[in-house]
Amino acid sequence: MSTRASAREEIRVGSRNVPLSNPDKELFPDDGITKAELIDYYRSIAPLMLSHLRGRPLVMERYPDGYEGKSFYHKDVPGYFPDWIRTVRVPKQGGSLTMAVCDNTATLVYLANQACITPHPWLSPADCLDRPDRLVFDLDPPDSTHDGFENVRWGARRLGDLLTELGLRPALMTTGSRGLHLLVPLDRRTDFETARHFARRVADLLAQRHSDRLTTEARKNSRGGRLYLDVQRNTYAQTSVAPYAVRARPHAPVATPLEWAELDDPELGPRRWTLRTLSERLDRHANPWKDLSRCRRSLDRARRHLDDLV
């Protein structure tokens, strides 16, 4: 019997039977991409993706009527979720939330069946919620033109060089949307306030050096056509798009980890790879981030270097 999701009421994933509903529902109707195809994609990519989800609370970006339909960000785990899905109680102002944690392939498949097109994990693990183990810099162009992305490439190279000069080991990823993300692995010894302040100082320094091309101005009407260095997600309870996550955009583009040399590829773009084409890429670049866990660094030394530069 086929193990693919199409036309089945449930599939066996590891030791779990995962129920399916409406597997033939088209989530990307222009391409005929069904929920079953989304499920099969996440099942196949799980060995690479789970290292970026495991142990973290996550927010589910759900599209029950397809990517062009009504959507919502689902934080609290519904009562109908099976009890084998791990959850964590997360404090918030005035109470708490019970959030899902995606530790295994069965959970990832279950979330896809809930029309969770994009999972957004926290920047800190569940066992240390107030101490991030990664910083994220979002390079957001003023438009989606070719020239706009060329500025993203340029900015990514400058930012990567600066972070490396500070003793950090940044990693690079397409977002599947408009720009690029730079992710900086940390050693979990820094609280969110310190981490965000550091990220903002780095972005401010780079924007001051290249004020004609870069900005940290959050208001769009004040950016003047410059590339926005966004560090706002580096706060408690904020999330970032997961590596290898599908985005709710035409043709189902995928957030894709890169090697730094790929910045020079003239065909690179924020939506270069899709749910249907990523497998071809993985045949050539199996896992550009395979050594990411070895790149964790303390911000203490980087902050001292930054003080010297400023």
Side-chain angles (χ1 to χ4, degrees), residues 191-205:
D191 60 33
F192 270 105
E193 182 177 357
T194 302
R196 184 182 184 186
H197 181 63
F198 172 83
R200 181 57 190 253
R201 291 181 67 206
V202 169
D204 283 342
L205 175 60

Side-chain angles (χ1 to χ4, degrees), residues 58 60 62 74-83 85-89 97-101 110-111:
L58 64 82
M60 300 167 276
R62 297 176 61 182
H74 206 161
K75 297 181 180 181
D76 223 349
V77 171
Y80 59 79
F81 269 37
D83 58 10
I85 290 182
R86 181 185 169 193
T87 60
V88 60
R89 294 292 287 181
L97 292 172
T98 300
M99 302 186 72
V101 178
Y110 185 88
L111 296 180

Side-chain angles (χ1 to χ4, degrees), residues 32-263:
I33 297 175
T34 64
K35 187 195 290 186
E37 191 169 354
L38 180 74
I39 289 169
D40 288 334
Y41 166 78
Y42 275 128
R43 189 178 190 184
S44 68
I45 203 64
L48 288 178
M49 190 173 184
L50 284 173
S51 64
H52 306 289
L53 297 176
R54 192 177 287 116
R56 300 175 186 275
L58 64 82
V59 175
M60 300 167 276
E61 187 180 352
R62 297 176 61 182
Y63 291 80
D65 298 317
Y67 88 96
E68 293 181 306
K70 184 178 180 180
S71 66
F72 57 100
Y73 288 86
H74 206 161
K75 297 181 180 181
D76 223 349
V77 171
Y80 59 79
F81 269 37
D83 58 10
W84 49 262
I85 290 182
R86 181 185 169 193
T87 60
V88 60
R89 294 292 287 181
V90 174
K92 69 168 189 174
Q93 187 173 9
S96 63
L97 292 172
T98 300
M99 302 186 72
V101 178
C102 187
D103 283 342
N104 50 58
T105 304
T107 299
L108 191 56
V109 166
Y110 185 88
L111 296 180
N113 184 62
Q114 298 298 310
C116 173
I117 290 180
T118 311
H120 297 263
W122 276 37
L123 302 182
S124 58
D127 62 356
C128 195
L129 290 172
D130 60 345
R131 292 185 178 270
D133 61 357
R134 53 191 60 187
L135 283 177
V136 174
F137 294 82
D138 182 4
L139 278 62
D140 185 14
D143 55 59
S144 56
T145 64
H146 174 76
D147 289 344
F149 191 72
E150 284 303 307
N151 206 27
V152 173
R153 292 176 193 261
W154 182 89
R157 183 70 72 188
R158 300 305 179 280
L159 179 56
D161 288 346
L162 175 55
L163 291 168
T164 302
E165 182 182 355
L166 295 174
L168 301 172
R169 297 288 300 278
L172 186 66
M173 181 179 81
T174 69
T175 63
S177 182
R178 288 163 47 88
L180 295 171
H181 278 182
L182 268 69
L183 183 148
V184 181
L186 301 178
D187 62 0
R188 296 205 300 178
R189 298 181 181 179
T190 305
D191 60 33
F192 270 105
E193 182 177 357
T194 302
R196 184 182 184 186
H197 181 63
F198 172 83
R200 181 57 190 253
R201 291 181 67 206
V202 169
D204 283 342
L205 175 60
L206 197 64
Q208 289 166 9
R209 288 179 174 178
H210 307 283
S211 59
D212 57 328
R213 301 184 69 167
L214 304 176
T215 182
T216 56
E217 178 56 64
R219 294 170 296 181
K220 290 185 178 181
N221 60 4
S222 299
R223 296 177 191 170
R226 293 169 294 176
L227 177 69
Y228 175 40
L229 304 177
D230 184 1
V231 299
Q232 296 194 64
R233 65 188 66 245
N234 295 295
T235 13
Y236 178 82
Q238 293 298 307
T239 64
S240 180
V241 62
Y244 301 107
V246 179
R247 304 306 303 274
R249 303 288 187 273
H251 314 303
V254 174
T256 306
L258 302 172
E259 297 173 357
W260 275 97
E262 292 182 273
L263 269 182

